[in-house]
Amino acid sequence: MQLTNEEQRILDGGGGEPQRLALQVLVKLGEACGAERMVEIASAHLVASSYQIAGEAGIAIYTQLVEQGARVMVRTTSDPGSIDFARWREFKTPEEYAARQVKIAELLDRMGVIPTWTCTPYTTFNVPHFGEHLGWSESSAVVFANSVIGARTNRLAAYVDLCAALTGRVPCFGLHLDEGRRGDVLFELEAELSADFAEHYFPALGYLVGQVVKDRIPVILGIRRATLDQLKAFGAASAASGSVALYHMVGITPEARTVEEAFGGRIPTERTPVGRREIDAVMEQMGASEGPVDVVGIGCPHASIDQMGRYAALLEGKRVHPNTRLWICTNVVVEAMARKMGYVETIERAGATLMVGTCHNDCPLEAWGFRRLATDSGKFAYYTPTTVGTECVFASTEACIRAAITGRVERR
Ligand code: F3S
């Protein structure tokens, strides 16, 4: 790889041991992936901020780095932790477990990481610009930054993201290059589906697309309009069921004004038609059983202020069923604004609980003995059976909130 004088100085130890080690890791990664050079990044986002992911090994690594004087070189934010720092006792989190997460928080703080504890850093203090290079992990955030904003980041692994933060650089390959951002597979919505595309089809379509493309780049034709929350839901599902890090939605996302632009001038060689039958089939797969539900989990990825307002409107004057929990995941910034706007009061008056800075998939929930979780999130639907250990039912946001109120999930 071609290194600049500054990069060579860092590699020679001129920036201290944490930077030297971090750059060494990035150079090895770049060599393995055919990068010719490094590229400077505007920000980093770290996934091993959660104790569930970092574990004791992560604490040991962070401790050593802090002792060696490590500091992040660019704006760096943290993914959800394994506890709600304010409410962990309410979630029956063991004291020792919470203490380990607090320890990680202290160590990240000493390295200069902004404690956003969110998978939607772009709703807080890490808002990329179009065309900027980033060093991000967290699959749902990576796919949003690439696809919706048009920033450029590969899907970094835990600790590689920290190496990026410590050096302010990543190896330039894959999604950092124009040729790495061209579409591979065209998904064409049939006219009937396109004309009547319901909100909960976004995560369902994302789930389907991820299963088909794995880590290739899908191009979706036939969606007429989409909100940021719908694009967020689509991307998170595709990044979970596959490992999509960039998608193009023709006429909606910034690098796909036309099909030609999305494919970088190439002719699509693979076309997949999608109709209502395919959407119905994937929703069955995501979980479609009816009946009593122990817990309803919404806000995955973390709820925006618009979503919080909608939850409050749906819960106004209602009461969550005594046998069911309604847990709403969001970040501390959105929580503060939602509180100011009266949404939190309405939500809590209805008996729902906010889960701030964490989520069902990150917290230890064995103590609850849940059997069935309902969600409107494709990502939760994908991970819940293994991470929470319950059966999962996928339904629309309205159906999820209805299930929390009646204690039963009914078909959408
Ligand atoms: Fe975020 Fe947890 Fe979902 S990290 S994307 S709320 S699984």
Side-chain angles (χ1 to χ4, degrees):
M1 278 179 78
Q2 195 71 39
L3 298 183
T4 63
N5 290 343
E6 173 62 5
E7 287 157 0
Q8 195 55 58
R9 186 189 73 82
I10 293 172
L11 212 48
D12 292 340
E17 180 56 16
Q19 267 205 327
R20 189 201 64 74
L21 184 65
L23 194 59
Q24 189 182 34
V25 169
L26 295 173
V27 168
K28 291 254 182 259
L29 173 67
E31 284 170 353
C33 296
E36 291 175 359
R37 62 184 177 92
M38 292 283 169
V39 63
E40 292 190 15
I41 56 172
S43 73
H45 182 71
L46 308 182
V47 79
S49 42
S50 123
Y51 178 55
Q52 192 181 84
I53 294 175
E56 290 303 312
I59 292 179
I61 291 168
Y62 294 149
T63 302
Q64 183 180 325
L65 287 169
V66 166
E67 283 169 1
Q68 291 172 332
R71 292 287 297 178
V72 297
M73 298 301 289
V74 290
R75 175 178 296 270
T76 301
T77 42
S78 58
D79 217 37
S82 293
I83 59 170
D84 177 322
F85 286 89
R87 304 171 182 80
W88 57 269
R89 284 193 176 83
E90 277 181 51
F91 290 106
K92 303 186 186 178
T93 308
E95 188 128 10
E96 179 53 24
Y97 190 97
R100 301 313 280 160
Q101 179 63 67
V102 169
K103 176 76 184 164
I104 290 179
E106 286 166 5
L107 291 165
L108 294 179
D109 187 50
R110 289 180 63 187
M111 285 191 270
V113 176
I114 304 170
T116 50
W117 306 114
T118 187
C119 46
T120 59
Y122 45 85
T123 64
T124 63
F125 305 106
N126 197 347
V127 187
H129 297 181
F130 179 85
E132 257 179 5
H133 295 277
L134 315 173
W136 282 25
S137 52
E138 166 52 47
S139 65
S140 72
V142 165
V143 72
F144 189 94
N146 276 314
S147 315
V148 181
I149 298 175
R152 298 185 169 211
T153 176
N154 286 318
R155 188 166 148 157
L156 298 186
Y159 306 115
V160 176
D161 50 12
L162 181 60
C163 293
L166 292 175
T167 60
R169 290 162 166 78
V170 289
C172 190
F173 67 93
L175 297 177
H176 292 282
L177 301 169
D178 289 347
E179 57 269 30
R181 300 178 68 82
R182 296 175 181 155
D184 294 310
V185 182
L186 181 63
F187 290 83
E188 289 174 295
L189 267 55
E190 289 172 0
E192 187 207 355
L193 180 66
S194 173
D196 187 21
F197 199 77
E199 185 181 56
H200 60 287
Y201 290 174
F202 281 90
L205 180 63
Y207 199 99
L208 182 155
V209 163
Q211 284 182 326
V212 174
V213 299
K214 309 280 192 286
D215 63 350
R216 293 178 296 162
I217 299 175
V219 177
I220 296 92
L221 179 63
I223 305 258
R224 297 177 180 183
R225 65 190 71 82
T227 65
L228 288 181
D229 287 322
Q230 290 164 345
L231 295 174
K232 177 178 78 171
F234 172 90
S238 70
S241 69
S243 41
V244 174
L246 165 65
Y247 64 83
H248 298 298
M249 220 172 250
V250 178
I252 293 176
T253 57
E255 292 165 83
R257 283 168 296 185
T258 61
V259 173
E260 292 68 34
E261 185 179 49
F263 282 91
R266 294 179 303 185
I267 308 287
T269 51
E270 198 176 322
R271 291 167 176 265
T272 305
V274 184
R276 203 176 294 277
R277 204 162 43 117
E278 285 75 22
I279 289 286
D280 286 344
V282 80
M283 287 197 295
E284 283 291 322
Q285 219 186 317
M286 292 164 81
S289 61
E290 298 195 319
V293 63
D294 305 298
V295 57
V296 176
I298 55 178
C300 166
H302 278 173
S304 67
I305 192 68
D306 292 345
Q307 289 174 303
M308 293 293 280
R310 183 149 171 237
Y311 304 154
L314 290 166
L315 286 166
E316 178 72 59
K318 307 275 188 347
R319 191 75 207 150
V320 170
H321 193 275
N323 297 338
T324 306
R325 309 265 160 186
L326 172 56
W327 286 351
I328 298 173
C329 307
T330 191
N331 63 53
V332 71
V333 173
V334 171
E335 181 202 11
M337 186 53 65
R339 200 170 284 284
K340 260 190 181 314
M341 297 177 77
Y343 301 156
V344 173
E345 198 189 336
T346 307
I347 288 168
E348 290 183 339
R349 202 185 314 119
T353 307
L354 294 190
M355 198 175 213
V356 178
T358 183
C359 77
H360 306 59
N361 279 340
D362 243 315
C363 284
L365 297 179
E366 300 81 24
W368 292 87
F370 291 136
R371 282 156 304 164
R372 184 186 277 151
L373 175 144
T375 185
D376 60 353
S377 159
K379 181 167 175 177
F380 263 172
Y382 185 81
Y383 285 116
T384 291
T386 45
T387 54
V388 186
T390 65
E391 186 190 338
C392 187
V393 185
F394 172 74
S396 67
T397 304
E398 279 83 355
C400 281
I401 291 188
R402 237 181 2 254
I405 293 164
T406 62
R408 291 181 59 81
V409 65
E410 311 289 348
R411 293 305 298 267
R412 300 166 269 281

